Amino acid sequence: MTKHLWRILVLSLLTLALTACAAAPADSGSAEYEAQTIEIRGLPDGDKLISVAELRALEQHDLDASYKRTTGMIEEFQMSGPYLADVLASLGGDLGSYAGIGVMGTDGYYCLVDEEIIAATPDMMLAVLIDGAADLGEGVAPARLAVQGQFGPYWVKMVDSIILYDEIPEKRIANVWLFDNLVEGIEPYYYEYYGSADRSYELNQIFTRFDNVLSTAFFTMKSSDGFKKNEAISMLLSDYYIKVEGDDAPTNISPHVQLGMNVQHIAWFSTNADAAIFPEELGVYMENAAAQGLALPLSEICFEVGMEQVEGLSFELYGMDGERYTVSGEELYQGLLVVEDDGRYSVSWPDELAYAPISDLLRIRLVEDGGAADETAGGGQAAAGGQTQAAADTLLEISGDGVGGSSYWSMADLQALSGYQAEAVYSTHNNWPTEGSISGKGVALYGLLQEAGLRDNAASVRLIASDGFAVTLTMQQVRESRYTYPSGAEVPAIVAWAYGEGAASPQSQLRFLIGQIAPSEVNTSAMVEKLCKIEVSTSGGGRWAAPAIDVVEGSVPAGTPLSFVYENMDLVKIYYTTDGSQPTHYSAVYNPSTSYFQPHLTTPLIIDADLTLKAFASGWGRADSETVSFSFSVE
């Protein structure tokens, strides 16, 4: 071989070597940058941190990455990094075993990736090299999640933590609301977002109109182009809005949501039990939407937002003008929601059904169908007052298997119950928390139920408003002694026809008023306005679960913080003592507000001396939990 050929061969080998070196995983050259960490929560052996340097040490993969922003813009990158499955495996986790993962950025942005997307994206990556840059810069570092095939909102920048979910709380949609009517009376906020201040509604304010929002559940949004996104409700409890005017509305906006990373043209959103719809956006993709202008089958709306079935069930429909009636699931198939030219959402039925049309629908509510009540089961008596059929002047219906039969009460019927009438001033305490008072005059609830044929085995009472809001009380909560403060005078639970913050003045609609066991008990949540129906049941709600804590009993360092852990903390108050004494409703309250009002008021207890902690949970609709005890000694 000639010298010339040898030179060519040597140069070729050197070129290959240099190319290989250039392709090898690079680092930023900054020890501080490489030491940045991502927290992985929920691993079998506890939470762990992994640094950028450790991510680079795992097997690296290249990805010709591209995604579509919800604005329609396509973005493309050359990305490199470890697959997320490998990252978790290196820490003792198995990506395929989780029901979902939550990915949070350092800017507070959050996205839930469910198991369906996990299964469809084996090359899901934590990118540490983008377009050849090992230092991703302030707006992207320490890593970016790459979810090929998904819209931009899944491509989380500045990944700070990854939460692994063994299970995702199941949604049980029981209410479908028309958004525009749901927010009637809520003060809009003109939130400035990327240079435009458009009419918006704070999500917290919307949540207060739902019966039961669990902070542990997930908030789902679906756009008219089919894109669906989940977020943790606990992450949405401040500065989060639904914008209803302007570009891309309706859309979710927040300081933590960059333009193009939100869900634009929202068709519906849902919590654990409630869904709100935007019919005009639903009509974009629901196939059978053109029967009479924009007309959507009621049953298809229910299926679309997550109800699993309608057959064999009953539904109550509520109109904005006070209309309310019950239809079967089979009949729901024949009803149409019609978007009128003036912005109303009317309901129409075929001629063979005798239901009157609703001029502007507020809500579809799934009714718990307990079947017909046995007229004699459980003792008690048949209804002694009221009417056996609804009439034009009916204000209140009492029904359920806990009474002898359905009865219907007009104002005159209620006021004729002279032996049960009561008038009092009721102290009030809400979840903000603030205190107040309300005067009321009406008929004692327990006496009214007796007149309605209360059975001996009646266990609970559900109070329902004409707008669908409902609260359940145990029979004990109805009957036990309750008081008004600061006087401490005993007051009965009443169905009031006259009430007001000053003097009680006659009203056209009924309101339920109830006293307090102790000054810190929240009773406003049980004071149902626009009361129109009472369902009495022989089934009780059992008792609330006992609270748990996030610190193991025993010896702990001085200054150790301790928090109570409770799945439905917004539904209860946790009362506790730290001196070993038995807690009561007069004891300290751990959670004076809720996660959707002032979550910062719920703060950890600090263990700075030996103590015995005792606590129980209390709330409407169930008996108080058992009292639990935890002992600690300071090291």
mmCIF file of all heavy atoms in Angstrom, residues 53-96:
data_model
loop_
_atom_site.group_PDB
_atom_site.id
_atom_site.type_symbol
_atom_site.label_atom_id
_atom_site.label_comp_id
_atom_site.label_asym_id
_atom_site.label_seq_id
_atom_site.Cartn_x
_atom_site.Cartn_y
_atom_site.Cartn_z
ATOM 1 N N ALA A 53 -26.674 15.451 35.794
ATOM 2 C CA ALA A 53 -25.514 14.599 35.512
ATOM 3 C C ALA A 53 -25.905 13.131 35.528
ATOM 4 O O ALA A 53 -25.453 12.338 34.691
ATOM 5 C CB ALA A 53 -24.405 14.877 36.526
ATOM 6 N N GLU A 54 -26.753 12.739 36.482
ATOM 7 C CA GLU A 54 -27.192 11.339 36.558
ATOM 8 C C GLU A 54 -28.098 10.981 35.387
ATOM 9 O O GLU A 54 -28.081 9.842 34.897
ATOM 10 C CB GLU A 54 -27.899 11.097 37.894
ATOM 11 C CG GLU A 54 -26.946 11.124 39.085
ATOM 12 C CD GLU A 54 -27.679 11.136 40.415
ATOM 13 O OE1 GLU A 54 -28.745 11.785 40.504
ATOM 14 O OE2 GLU A 54 -27.178 10.504 41.363
ATOM 15 N N LEU A 55 -28.894 11.939 34.922
ATOM 16 C CA LEU A 55 -29.709 11.691 33.733
ATOM 17 C C LEU A 55 -28.825 11.450 32.519
ATOM 18 O O LEU A 55 -29.111 10.583 31.684
ATOM 19 C CB LEU A 55 -30.649 12.877 33.476
ATOM 20 C CG LEU A 55 -31.795 13.090 34.465
ATOM 21 C CD1 LEU A 55 -32.534 14.384 34.156
ATOM 22 C CD2 LEU A 55 -32.777 11.915 34.434
ATOM 23 N N ARG A 56 -27.742 12.219 32.407
ATOM 24 C CA ARG A 56 -26.836 12.052 31.259
ATOM 25 C C ARG A 56 -26.103 10.712 31.334
ATOM 26 O O ARG A 56 -25.703 10.168 30.301
ATOM 27 C CB ARG A 56 -25.815 13.188 31.227
ATOM 28 C CG ARG A 56 -26.390 14.576 30.985
ATOM 29 C CD ARG A 56 -25.269 15.534 30.590
ATOM 30 N NE ARG A 56 -25.602 16.913 30.872
ATOM 31 C CZ ARG A 56 -26.323 17.692 30.082
ATOM 32 N NH1 ARG A 56 -26.807 17.204 28.960
ATOM 33 N NH2 ARG A 56 -26.576 18.959 30.418
ATOM 34 N N ALA A 57 -25.922 10.182 32.533
ATOM 35 C CA ALA A 57 -25.193 8.923 32.689
ATOM 36 C C ALA A 57 -26.019 7.716 32.257
ATOM 37 O O ALA A 57 -25.467 6.635 32.014
ATOM 38 C CB ALA A 57 -24.752 8.755 34.137
ATOM 39 N N LEU A 58 -27.345 7.891 32.146
ATOM 40 C CA LEU A 58 -28.198 6.810 31.668
ATOM 41 C C LEU A 58 -28.090 6.706 30.152
ATOM 42 O O LEU A 58 -27.579 7.606 29.480
ATOM 43 C CB LEU A 58 -29.648 7.071 32.075
ATOM 44 C CG LEU A 58 -29.936 7.108 33.582
ATOM 45 C CD1 LEU A 58 -31.372 7.549 33.835
ATOM 46 C CD2 LEU A 58 -29.683 5.750 34.217
ATOM 47 N N GLU A 59 -28.585 5.616 29.593
ATOM 48 C CA GLU A 59 -28.533 5.445 28.136
ATOM 49 C C GLU A 59 -29.290 6.584 27.454
ATOM 50 O O GLU A 59 -30.432 6.887 27.810
ATOM 51 C CB GLU A 59 -29.143 4.105 27.743
ATOM 52 C CG GLU A 59 -29.052 3.824 26.255
ATOM 53 C CD GLU A 59 -29.629 2.474 25.861
ATOM 54 O OE1 GLU A 59 -30.052 1.722 26.761
ATOM 55 O OE2 GLU A 59 -29.649 2.173 24.642
ATOM 56 N N GLN A 60 -28.627 7.219 26.479
ATOM 57 C CA GLN A 60 -29.203 8.367 25.783
ATOM 58 C C GLN A 60 -29.832 7.916 24.460
ATOM 59 O O GLN A 60 -29.337 7.010 23.788
ATOM 60 C CB GLN A 60 -28.123 9.423 25.511
ATOM 61 C CG GLN A 60 -27.399 9.903 26.761
ATOM 62 C CD GLN A 60 -28.281 10.711 27.689
ATOM 63 O OE1 GLN A 60 -28.707 11.811 27.369
ATOM 64 N NE2 GLN A 60 -28.550 10.153 28.866
ATOM 65 N N HIS A 61 -30.930 8.569 24.104
ATOM 66 C CA HIS A 61 -31.629 8.269 22.859
ATOM 67 C C HIS A 61 -31.859 9.575 22.110
ATOM 68 O O HIS A 61 -32.042 10.636 22.719
ATOM 69 C CB HIS A 61 -32.967 7.591 23.139
ATOM 70 C CG HIS A 61 -32.850 6.316 23.917
ATOM 71 N ND1 HIS A 61 -32.629 5.097 23.327
ATOM 72 C CD2 HIS A 61 -32.890 6.093 25.261
ATOM 73 C CE1 HIS A 61 -32.558 4.165 24.260
ATOM 74 N NE2 HIS A 61 -32.708 4.738 25.446
ATOM 75 N N ASP A 62 -31.868 9.494 20.812
ATOM 76 C CA ASP A 62 -32.120 10.662 19.967
ATOM 77 C C ASP A 62 -33.576 10.649 19.512
ATOM 78 O O ASP A 62 -34.165 9.579 19.281
ATOM 79 C CB ASP A 62 -31.204 10.654 18.743
ATOM 80 C CG ASP A 62 -29.732 10.777 19.129
ATOM 81 O OD1 ASP A 62 -29.444 11.439 20.138
ATOM 82 O OD2 ASP A 62 -28.890 10.194 18.422
ATOM 83 N N LEU A 63 -34.150 11.826 19.384
ATOM 84 C CA LEU A 63 -35.557 11.945 18.996
ATOM 85 C C LEU A 63 -35.728 13.113 18.039
ATOM 86 O O LEU A 63 -35.338 14.242 18.340
ATOM 87 C CB LEU A 63 -36.419 12.167 20.245
ATOM 88 C CG LEU A 63 -37.929 12.273 20.035
ATOM 89 C CD1 LEU A 63 -38.493 10.948 19.555
ATOM 90 C CD2 LEU A 63 -38.626 12.695 21.333
ATOM 91 N N ASP A 64 -36.272 12.815 16.843
ATOM 92 C CA ASP A 64 -36.699 13.881 15.936
ATOM 93 C C ASP A 64 -38.059 14.351 16.438
ATOM 94 O O ASP A 64 -39.102 13.816 16.060
ATOM 95 C CB ASP A 64 -36.796 13.370 14.501
ATOM 96 C CG ASP A 64 -35.433 13.021 13.927
ATOM 97 O OD1 ASP A 64 -34.455 13.682 14.292
ATOM 98 O OD2 ASP A 64 -35.356 12.072 13.125
ATOM 99 N N ALA A 65 -38.051 15.320 17.337
ATOM 100 C CA ALA A 65 -39.250 15.686 18.096
ATOM 101 C C ALA A 65 -40.050 16.767 17.385
ATOM 102 O O ALA A 65 -39.479 17.702 16.797
ATOM 103 C CB ALA A 65 -38.846 16.175 19.486
ATOM 104 N N SER A 66 -41.354 16.645 17.454
ATOM 105 C CA SER A 66 -42.234 17.692 16.940
ATOM 106 C C SER A 66 -43.564 17.605 17.669
ATOM 107 O O SER A 66 -44.003 16.526 18.061
ATOM 108 C CB SER A 66 -42.454 17.549 15.433
ATOM 109 O OG SER A 66 -43.147 16.357 15.141
ATOM 110 N N TYR A 67 -44.169 18.743 17.882
ATOM 111 C CA TYR A 67 -45.500 18.773 18.481
ATOM 112 C C TYR A 67 -46.251 19.974 17.957
ATOM 113 O O TYR A 67 -45.669 20.915 17.396
ATOM 114 C CB TYR A 67 -45.437 18.797 20.005
ATOM 115 C CG TYR A 67 -44.899 20.082 20.623
ATOM 116 C CD1 TYR A 67 -45.700 21.206 20.764
ATOM 117 C CD2 TYR A 67 -43.583 20.156 21.075
ATOM 118 C CE1 TYR A 67 -45.220 22.371 21.338
ATOM 119 C CE2 TYR A 67 -43.092 21.312 21.643
ATOM 120 C CZ TYR A 67 -43.914 22.416 21.770
ATOM 121 O OH TYR A 67 -43.430 23.576 22.330
ATOM 122 N N LYS A 68 -47.564 19.914 18.149
ATOM 123 C CA LYS A 68 -48.430 20.994 17.696
ATOM 124 C C LYS A 68 -48.940 21.748 18.905
ATOM 125 O O LYS A 68 -49.516 21.163 19.824
ATOM 126 C CB LYS A 68 -49.615 20.414 16.910
ATOM 127 C CG LYS A 68 -50.548 21.456 16.309
ATOM 128 C CD LYS A 68 -51.669 20.761 15.532
ATOM 129 C CE LYS A 68 -52.601 21.778 14.883
ATOM 130 N NZ LYS A 68 -53.696 21.096 14.132
ATOM 131 N N ARG A 69 -48.687 23.056 18.930
ATOM 132 C CA ARG A 69 -49.280 23.879 19.976
ATOM 133 C C ARG A 69 -50.785 23.957 19.764
ATOM 134 O O ARG A 69 -51.277 23.732 18.653
ATOM 135 C CB ARG A 69 -48.697 25.296 19.953
ATOM 136 C CG ARG A 69 -47.296 25.412 20.535
ATOM 137 C CD ARG A 69 -46.813 26.846 20.444
ATOM 138 N NE ARG A 69 -45.567 27.041 21.158
ATOM 139 C CZ ARG A 69 -45.491 27.475 22.406
ATOM 140 N NH1 ARG A 69 -46.605 27.758 23.065
ATOM 141 N NH2 ARG A 69 -44.334 27.640 23.006
ATOM 142 N N THR A 70 -51.517 24.282 20.814
ATOM 143 C CA THR A 70 -52.957 24.409 20.648
ATOM 144 C C THR A 70 -53.321 25.634 19.806
ATOM 145 O O THR A 70 -54.465 25.785 19.398
ATOM 146 C CB THR A 70 -53.665 24.484 22.014
ATOM 147 O OG1 THR A 70 -53.086 25.520 22.801
ATOM 148 C CG2 THR A 70 -53.538 23.158 22.745
ATOM 149 N N THR A 71 -52.347 26.505 19.532
ATOM 150 C CA THR A 71 -52.570 27.611 18.607
ATOM 151 C C THR A 71 -52.482 27.148 17.160
ATOM 152 O O THR A 71 -52.804 27.897 16.239
ATOM 153 C CB THR A 71 -51.520 28.709 18.823
ATOM 154 O OG1 THR A 71 -50.211 28.143 18.675
ATOM 155 C CG2 THR A 71 -51.661 29.328 20.192
ATOM 156 N N GLY A 72 -52.023 25.899 16.930
ATOM 157 C CA GLY A 72 -51.850 25.372 15.588
ATOM 158 C C GLY A 72 -50.413 25.391 15.103
ATOM 159 O O GLY A 72 -50.075 24.752 14.109
ATOM 160 N N MET A 73 -49.537 26.109 15.791
ATOM 161 C CA MET A 73 -48.134 26.204 15.389
ATOM 162 C C MET A 73 -47.419 24.872 15.624
ATOM 163 O O MET A 73 -47.612 24.224 16.649
ATOM 164 C CB MET A 73 -47.433 27.315 16.187
ATOM 165 C CG MET A 73 -45.956 27.501 15.838
ATOM 166 S SD MET A 73 -45.151 28.670 16.965
ATOM 167 C CE MET A 73 -46.134 30.142 16.669
ATOM 168 N N ILE A 74 -46.608 24.455 14.656
ATOM 169 C CA ILE A 74 -45.804 23.247 14.782
ATOM 170 C C ILE A 74 -44.394 23.626 15.231
ATOM 171 O O ILE A 74 -43.784 24.539 14.674
ATOM 172 C CB ILE A 74 -45.721 22.480 13.447
ATOM 173 C CG1 ILE A 74 -47.126 22.123 12.942
ATOM 174 C CG2 ILE A 74 -44.866 21.230 13.596
ATOM 175 C CD1 ILE A 74 -47.848 21.123 13.789
ATOM 176 N N GLU A 75 -43.893 22.944 16.256
ATOM 177 C CA GLU A 75 -42.524 23.159 16.708
ATOM 178 C C GLU A 75 -41.736 21.868 16.539
ATOM 179 O O GLU A 75 -42.262 20.771 16.799
ATOM 180 C CB GLU A 75 -42.500 23.624 18.157
ATOM 181 C CG GLU A 75 -43.194 24.964 18.372
ATOM 182 C CD GLU A 75 -42.652 25.714 19.572
ATOM 183 O OE1 GLU A 75 -41.520 25.410 19.992
ATOM 184 O OE2 GLU A 75 -43.360 26.595 20.080
ATOM 185 N N GLU A 76 -40.482 21.982 16.105
ATOM 186 C CA GLU A 76 -39.634 20.825 15.849
ATOM 187 C C GLU A 76 -38.288 20.990 16.543
ATOM 188 O O GLU A 76 -37.751 22.106 16.616
ATOM 189 C CB GLU A 76 -39.419 20.633 14.346
ATOM 190 C CG GLU A 76 -40.712 20.351 13.593
ATOM 191 C CD GLU A 76 -40.490 20.206 12.088
ATOM 192 O OE1 GLU A 76 -39.547 20.835 11.551
ATOM 193 O OE2 GLU A 76 -41.262 19.465 11.457
ATOM 194 N N PHE A 77 -37.752 19.885 17.055
ATOM 195 C CA PHE A 77 -36.480 19.898 17.770
ATOM 196 C C PHE A 77 -35.716 18.613 17.470
ATOM 197 O O PHE A 77 -36.300 17.589 17.093
ATOM 198 C CB PHE A 77 -36.683 19.949 19.298
ATOM 199 C CG PHE A 77 -37.605 21.037 19.777
ATOM 200 C CD1 PHE A 77 -38.967 20.806 19.907
ATOM 201 C CD2 PHE A 77 -37.105 22.276 20.118
ATOM 202 C CE1 PHE A 77 -39.814 21.796 20.357
ATOM 203 C CE2 PHE A 77 -37.944 23.268 20.581
ATOM 204 C CZ PHE A 77 -39.301 23.034 20.697
ATOM 205 N N GLN A 78 -34.420 18.678 17.704
ATOM 206 C CA GLN A 78 -33.601 17.482 17.836
ATOM 207 C C GLN A 78 -33.312 17.321 19.322
ATOM 208 O O GLN A 78 -32.688 18.195 19.929
ATOM 209 C CB GLN A 78 -32.297 17.615 17.038
ATOM 210 C CG GLN A 78 -32.491 17.630 15.530
ATOM 211 C CD GLN A 78 -33.068 16.317 15.027
ATOM 212 O OE1 GLN A 78 -32.626 15.242 15.434
ATOM 213 N NE2 GLN A 78 -34.058 16.404 14.144
ATOM 214 N N MET A 79 -33.807 16.255 19.909
ATOM 215 C CA MET A 79 -33.683 16.069 21.352
ATOM 216 C C MET A 79 -32.923 14.789 21.664
ATOM 217 O O MET A 79 -32.983 13.812 20.910
ATOM 218 C CB MET A 79 -35.076 15.980 22.012
ATOM 219 C CG MET A 79 -35.850 17.285 22.039
ATOM 220 S SD MET A 79 -37.475 17.073 22.846
ATOM 221 C CE MET A 79 -37.809 18.755 23.371
ATOM 222 N N SER A 80 -32.250 14.816 22.800
ATOM 223 C CA SER A 80 -31.564 13.635 23.298
ATOM 224 C C SER A 80 -31.735 13.563 24.809
ATOM 225 O O SER A 80 -31.806 14.599 25.487
ATOM 226 C CB SER A 80 -30.073 13.667 22.961
ATOM 227 O OG SER A 80 -29.866 13.666 21.571
ATOM 228 N N GLY A 81 -31.803 12.345 25.310
ATOM 229 C CA GLY A 81 -31.934 12.151 26.754
ATOM 230 C C GLY A 81 -32.350 10.727 27.050
ATOM 231 O O GLY A 81 -32.564 9.915 26.144
ATOM 232 N N PRO A 82 -32.523 10.387 28.313
ATOM 233 C CA PRO A 82 -32.966 9.040 28.685
ATOM 234 C C PRO A 82 -34.479 8.917 28.575
ATOM 235 O O PRO A 82 -35.213 9.886 28.763
ATOM 236 C CB PRO A 82 -32.509 8.915 30.135
ATOM 237 C CG PRO A 82 -32.578 10.318 30.652
ATOM 238 C CD PRO A 82 -32.198 11.210 29.495
ATOM 239 N N TYR A 83 -34.937 7.705 28.252
ATOM 240 C CA TYR A 83 -36.364 7.458 28.303
ATOM 241 C C TYR A 83 -36.824 7.519 29.758
ATOM 242 O O TYR A 83 -36.106 7.101 30.672
ATOM 243 C CB TYR A 83 -36.696 6.094 27.719
ATOM 244 C CG TYR A 83 -36.523 6.003 26.211
ATOM 245 C CD1 TYR A 83 -36.231 4.790 25.605
ATOM 246 C CD2 TYR A 83 -36.670 7.128 25.399
ATOM 247 C CE1 TYR A 83 -36.079 4.692 24.227
ATOM 248 C CE2 TYR A 83 -36.519 7.046 24.028
ATOM 249 C CZ TYR A 83 -36.220 5.820 23.440
ATOM 250 O OH TYR A 83 -36.067 5.740 22.091
ATOM 251 N N LEU A 84 -38.029 8.031 29.970
ATOM 252 C CA LEU A 84 -38.542 8.152 31.330
ATOM 253 C C LEU A 84 -38.632 6.783 32.007
ATOM 254 O O LEU A 84 -38.391 6.663 33.212
ATOM 255 C CB LEU A 84 -39.917 8.831 31.313
ATOM 256 C CG LEU A 84 -40.549 9.102 32.679
ATOM 257 C CD1 LEU A 84 -39.645 9.974 33.540
ATOM 258 C CD2 LEU A 84 -41.915 9.741 32.526
ATOM 259 N N ALA A 85 -38.953 5.757 31.227
ATOM 260 C CA ALA A 85 -39.024 4.411 31.799
ATOM 261 C C ALA A 85 -37.676 4.010 32.395
ATOM 262 O O ALA A 85 -37.617 3.391 33.468
ATOM 263 C CB ALA A 85 -39.457 3.410 30.730
ATOM 264 N N ASP A 86 -36.582 4.374 31.715
ATOM 265 C CA ASP A 86 -35.251 4.035 32.220
ATOM 266 C C ASP A 86 -34.910 4.859 33.460
ATOM 267 O O ASP A 86 -34.239 4.373 34.374
ATOM 268 C CB ASP A 86 -34.201 4.263 31.134
ATOM 269 C CG ASP A 86 -34.362 3.315 29.952
ATOM 270 O OD1 ASP A 86 -34.998 2.253 30.137
ATOM 271 O OD2 ASP A 86 -33.872 3.642 28.850
ATOM 272 N N VAL A 87 -35.346 6.101 33.469
ATOM 273 C CA VAL A 87 -35.100 6.953 34.636
ATOM 274 C C VAL A 87 -35.735 6.331 35.874
ATOM 275 O O VAL A 87 -35.099 6.190 36.921
ATOM 276 C CB VAL A 87 -35.647 8.375 34.400
ATOM 277 C CG1 VAL A 87 -35.518 9.216 35.673
ATOM 278 C CG2 VAL A 87 -34.928 9.056 33.247
ATOM 279 N N LEU A 88 -37.013 5.948 35.753
ATOM 280 C CA LEU A 88 -37.708 5.370 36.899
ATOM 281 C C LEU A 88 -37.112 4.026 37.283
ATOM 282 O O LEU A 88 -36.985 3.708 38.476
ATOM 283 C CB LEU A 88 -39.200 5.229 36.594
ATOM 284 C CG LEU A 88 -39.969 6.532 36.324
ATOM 285 C CD1 LEU A 88 -41.457 6.250 36.176
ATOM 286 C CD2 LEU A 88 -39.734 7.556 37.412
ATOM 287 N N ALA A 89 -36.745 3.233 36.289
ATOM 288 C CA ALA A 89 -36.150 1.930 36.585
ATOM 289 C C ALA A 89 -34.856 2.074 37.378
ATOM 290 O O ALA A 89 -34.568 1.284 38.276
ATOM 291 C CB ALA A 89 -35.897 1.163 35.285
ATOM 292 N N SER A 90 -34.077 3.124 37.063
ATOM 293 C CA SER A 90 -32.820 3.336 37.791
ATOM 294 C C SER A 90 -33.053 3.693 39.248
ATOM 295 O O SER A 90 -32.151 3.571 40.078
ATOM 296 C CB SER A 90 -32.005 4.448 37.109
ATOM 297 O OG SER A 90 -32.572 5.727 37.348
ATOM 298 N N LEU A 91 -34.280 4.116 39.564
ATOM 299 C CA LEU A 91 -34.615 4.514 40.936
ATOM 300 C C LEU A 91 -35.529 3.499 41.609
ATOM 301 O O LEU A 91 -36.042 3.754 42.703
ATOM 302 C CB LEU A 91 -35.291 5.888 40.919
ATOM 303 C CG LEU A 91 -34.462 7.043 40.341
ATOM 304 C CD1 LEU A 91 -35.315 8.295 40.214
ATOM 305 C CD2 LEU A 91 -33.245 7.315 41.205
ATOM 306 N N GLY A 92 -35.767 2.361 40.940
ATOM 307 C CA GLY A 92 -36.584 1.314 41.545
ATOM 308 C C GLY A 92 -38.046 1.359 41.181
ATOM 309 O O GLY A 92 -38.860 0.673 41.804
ATOM 310 N N GLY A 93 -38.413 2.160 40.173
ATOM 311 C CA GLY A 93 -39.807 2.264 39.763
ATOM 312 C C GLY A 93 -40.065 1.587 38.432
ATOM 313 O O GLY A 93 -39.139 1.276 37.686
ATOM 314 N N ASP A 94 -41.350 1.373 38.127
ATOM 315 C CA ASP A 94 -41.760 0.746 36.863
ATOM 316 C C ASP A 94 -42.835 1.615 36.242
ATOM 317 O O ASP A 94 -43.973 1.653 36.710
ATOM 318 C CB ASP A 94 -42.292 -0.659 37.126
ATOM 319 C CG ASP A 94 -42.818 -1.339 35.862
ATOM 320 O OD1 ASP A 94 -42.641 -0.781 34.762
ATOM 321 O OD2 ASP A 94 -43.403 -2.440 35.986
ATOM 322 N N LEU A 95 -42.488 2.345 35.185
ATOM 323 C CA LEU A 95 -43.408 3.307 34.578
ATOM 324 C C LEU A 95 -44.730 2.649 34.194
ATOM 325 O O LEU A 95 -45.798 3.234 34.368
ATOM 326 C CB LEU A 95 -42.757 3.948 33.350
ATOM 327 C CG LEU A 95 -43.609 4.966 32.575
ATOM 328 C CD1 LEU A 95 -44.036 6.115 33.474
ATOM 329 C CD2 LEU A 95 -42.849 5.486 31.364
ATOM 330 N N GLY A 96 -44.666 1.434 33.673
ATOM 331 C CA GLY A 96 -45.883 0.774 33.218
ATOM 332 C C GLY A 96 -46.840 0.368 34.313
ATOM 333 O O GLY A 96 -47.979 0.008 34.043
#
